[in-house]
Amino acid sequence: MSGENKKEEFRKYLERSGVIDALTKVLVALYEEPEKPANALDFIKQYLGAPTSGDVETMRAEKDELVKKNEEMTKQLEEATKKLEGLSAGADE
């Protein structure tokens, strides 16, 4: 397969899969943006629905906080279960 044929096949693949249309829309949106964003790549990512670098950092911090809270609640549950078992054992006597 020649280089030109490969390029044409690839272009057709991009067109069939909607990539060309999506890129065209995002570039038109960027062009029509009255105030150009400082980071064009973040604009494109956000337009296409991908998280930006700030979003990722926020999600990581939130995940770390939730993991810590989960560990605390698991510990509280274990303590409450032991206490309940102790009360239940005392009532059986």
Side-chain angles (χ1 to χ4, degrees):
M1 188 179 248
S2 74
E4 286 301 314
N5 284 345
K6 283 184 178 181
K7 287 180 185 177
E8 184 60 24
E9 285 299 314
F10 187 64
R11 188 193 64 73
K12 287 179 182 177
Y13 161 73
L14 292 176
E15 196 171 321
R16 279 191 314 268
S17 62
V19 172
I20 292 176
D21 188 44
L23 288 175
T24 301
K25 286 179 181 177
V26 71
L27 292 174
V28 167
L30 181 58
Y31 175 77
E32 292 176 345
E33 192 67 26
E35 292 185 30
K36 302 298 181 237
N39 189 332
L41 189 55
D42 275 349
F43 175 88
I44 292 169
K45 287 178 182 178
Q46 184 178 14
Y47 188 91
L48 294 174
T52 62
S53 56
D55 293 338
V56 172
E57 290 303 316
T58 301
M59 286 187 278
R60 282 187 181 140
E62 185 178 344
K63 180 201 78 119
D64 291 343
E65 184 180 318
L66 290 171
V67 166
K68 184 178 177 182
K69 188 171 185 175
N70 185 15
E71 289 170 354
E72 291 171 1
M73 294 179 80
T74 300
K75 185 177 177 181
Q76 289 176 354
L77 177 62
E78 289 172 358
E79 291 170 358
T81 302
K82 286 179 185 177
K83 187 175 182 180
L84 184 61
E85 287 172 353
L87 291 173
S88 177
D92 289 342
E93 293 176 4

